[in-house]
Amino acid sequence: MSLLIGDVAPDFEADTTEGRIKFHEWAGKDWVVFFSHPADFTPVCTTELGYTARLKDEFAKRGAKALVVSVDSVEDHKRWIKDIEETQNASVQFPIIADTERKVATLYNMIHPNADAKLTVRAVYVIDPNKKIRASIVYPPSTGRNFDEVLRLIDSLQLTDNHKVATPVNWRDGEDVIIVPSLTDPKEIERLFPKGYKAVKPYLRYTAQPGS
């Protein structure tokens, strides 16, 4: 099954390190960063989950939370969490799904047979409060993900949901944004962007980030 941006994230029920969950019910009205890791007790995954744990407050600022899936068991996850907390100076306070039968990983297209038929790739899905998939990123098992980029992505999505702007290359929260080309009414532009804008081209108009 191939999941695309705009699709409803499939619901599922699964056992986790924090008990059994029904995904949509657990997600509630939050944004969810749902990602897979190839296996427990592996070095790259240990650093990733430790860093994600340290980002708890940053996720909370954005109304977001993390959910992780692996093909290992709950018992293995719980033993591994001790290693993560010991080596990464972090407290793991998000659920890790036990997907020993690979049902969730298959549902979310996280197993790529030509990479490894037994392990998940490093997939990331950003899911909004309406349970819609808003972004997806896929890394090979050997490459650790950049979770600062995931935060930047959420910032961009939340900003562009609320204002008629897009974010340019390498944008960071607080920097100038771009007025969407579909917005052409001068009066509406003046109302929405009272600080004005700089037109480099008719279709490329920079303005201060709304609310900054």
Side-chain angles (χ1 to χ4, degrees):
M1 179 179 180
S2 180
L3 295 174
L4 304 177
I5 290 174
D7 288 351
V8 174
D11 199 9
F12 59 83
E13 195 168 341
D15 291 321
T16 81
T17 51
E18 297 186 0
R20 193 160 183 85
I21 66 167
K22 294 180 179 179
F23 174 55
H24 283 191
E25 183 180 293
W26 175 86
K29 296 298 182 181
D30 292 324
W31 289 71
V32 176
V33 178
F34 181 35
F35 62 99
S36 56
H37 64 83
D40 293 356
F41 304 104
T42 53
V44 176
C45 300
T46 299
T47 64
E48 286 188 329
L49 267 67
Y51 193 76
T52 301
R54 295 198 299 274
L55 289 177
K56 181 184 177 182
D57 290 344
E58 291 299 323
F59 281 137
K61 286 180 190 176
R62 296 160 172 82
K65 56 188 178 184
L67 178 65
V68 184
V69 60
S70 167
V71 298
D72 294 309
S73 68
V74 167
E75 292 73 20
D76 282 340
H77 291 344
K78 288 182 176 179
R79 289 191 298 113
W80 182 41
I81 283 173
K82 294 178 182 178
D83 285 359
I84 295 168
E85 294 183 338
E86 176 190 343
T87 64
Q88 304 301 307
N89 190 31
S91 175
V92 176
Q93 297 181 40
F94 49 81
I96 305 175
I97 294 168
D99 191 31
T100 55
E101 296 181 4
R102 298 170 175 76
K103 291 181 179 179
V104 176
T106 301
L107 187 63
Y108 276 79
N109 197 34
M110 291 170 164
I111 294 186
H112 295 193
N114 290 332
D116 192 317
K118 296 180 180 179
L119 302 176
T120 58
V121 292
R122 295 185 192 281
V124 182
Y125 289 98
V126 177
I127 299 166
D128 72 15
N130 295 316
K131 313 300 183 291
K132 293 288 186 70
I133 294 173
R134 300 298 301 278
S136 62
I137 311 170
V138 179
Y139 290 70
S142 59
T143 303
R145 288 162 283 206
N146 185 333
F147 282 89
D148 291 336
E149 168 61 11
V150 174
L151 291 178
R152 189 190 79 93
L153 178 55
I154 295 171
D155 286 340
S156 175
L157 289 168
Q158 293 181 344
L159 177 68
T160 58
D161 277 356
N162 295 315
H163 304 279
K164 294 185 178 182
V165 298
T167 54
V169 63
N170 295 337
W171 171 86
R172 292 284 179 182
D173 185 36
E175 296 178 348
D176 286 354
V177 296
I178 295 170
I179 299 172
V180 294
S182 60
L183 190 57
T184 58
D185 184 343
K187 289 185 178 179
E188 188 177 7
I189 292 173
E190 184 178 357
R191 179 179 64 82
L192 293 174
F193 309 105
K195 296 180 181 178
Y197 65 91
K198 178 183 178 181
V200 178
K201 292 287 183 181
Y203 59 84
L204 180 56
R205 299 166 295 178
Y206 291 97
T207 188
Q209 176 179 319
S212 64

